[in-house]
Amino acid sequence: MKFIVKLYPEIMMKSKSVRMRFTKMLESNMRNVLKIVDENVRVQRQWDRILVNVPHANERLIAAVSERLGCIPGIAHSLQVEESEFKGIDDIYQQVLPIYKNELAGKTFCVRVKRSGNHDFKSIEVERYVGGGLNQHTEAVGVKLKDPDLTINLEINQDKLYLVVKRIKGLGGFPMATQEDVLSLISGGFDSGVSSFQFIKKGARTHYCFFNLGGAQHEIGVKQVAYHLWKTYGESHKVKFITIPFEDVVTEILERIDNGQMGVVLKRMMMRCAAKVADKMGIQALVTGESLGQVSSQTLTNLNVIDRSTDLLILRPLIAMDKQDIINESRQIGTEDFAKAIPEYCGVISQKPTVKAVLSKIEAEEEKFTDELIEKTVANTKVMTVRDIAAEMDEQVTETETVTDLNGHEIVIDIRSREEEEKSPLEIEGVTVKHIPFFKLATAFDELDKANTYLLYCDRGVMSKLQALYLVEQGHKNVKVYRP
């Protein structure tokens, strides 16, 4: 089985040298991602496309490759194809007929052909010949060029015929690392997850900066979001997850800053700390999920004052998006359920927050801070590779908390989303299986019978370990991880 990968049109519009560089990087990214799926998958770059060869493929492997190709930045779409050789137009028709003969019964159809190479026929001639033959020798209703029931797609490249089995929509954008790195300020909510994704899609290796205002539980939740974004869309490259403990800063703000100025001062302090971290990492820009007018600190005046806290470029990809549009996109990229489960940790809440901050007044308020506050806060920063979040969970979840075999007395809780559970239900003979999505687990677990032992299950094991850690920290001792 082969896949023909088409490059995003913006890449095709680049100059020859830039196009070649982008294509090479996309090839490398695809190889890095697909070798994790199966080390025997081969990736071959051509001028205007990339071929993926999946030897000895079964349905599960083909589905896994298809899923990953749909999440790699830089791909317009991929075609799952069956490859063969041909001798002429009639030979093409003879190969297509047995495949579609039964499927065409009672349907309208059309044939679409894309051709490259030297041939003694044109693409439209193949379309007419194959279409006419199928119309005559099948029980199809007839040929319909606009909105047919079935479109038969063929690709011809020199002496190869590619019969298109399935078209897989790509992510678009640019290949990872074709743009410079950015540092995304992530809180785990709807906005920061979507803004991070926007820059991954645009080809920027996106690192994550988290300001911890809510303790270990908050950090666990945000790591779930970062790991999901990296694992799904950015797995081809290593990125960092930076935690900045911000409790001391929040304490100083609550004790020293005028009530109405607190929100703007908090954001400025975040930008200053993040800028210092970015400078150490050689990163030229910060990314935030701020949207104009969404909250008091995000008025045009306040954003202008916040920007003055640092010389570093601050990028806001969601600045003109409505909240519902942001939520809709979070649903599409798979971060909505995470965001629902994470409480809003604002750190400080002004009773009458200003919407028109004055820079001179804000700077006067900030003079109340000790000189060492920023340096001390940044010095306590913790840096880890996002890839190692799973390994970190393994270290924290002891062997006795991970179960591979069942004795029939435990209750397994499938914490996958409803869509994942419906696609592949977990059924274990002789064992009770409950389905509680991870974003409802924290509240639902308190209502379960405490006399039972519960085993958390998810596909990859990362989410179940994170949730187990959270529940253990909440004082629940009757929870373990199930890894069959």
Side-chain angles (χ1 to χ4, degrees), residues 1 79 87-88 318 329 338 424 442:
M1 179 63 68
L79 302 175
K87 297 178 180 178
L318 313 185
E329 185 162 345
F338 296 102
S424 178

Side-chain angles (χ1 to χ4, degrees), residues 10 34 164 181 213 337 364 483:
E10 283 192 48
L34 295 179
V164 179
D181 290 12
L213 309 177
D337 290 341
R483 293 296 297 154

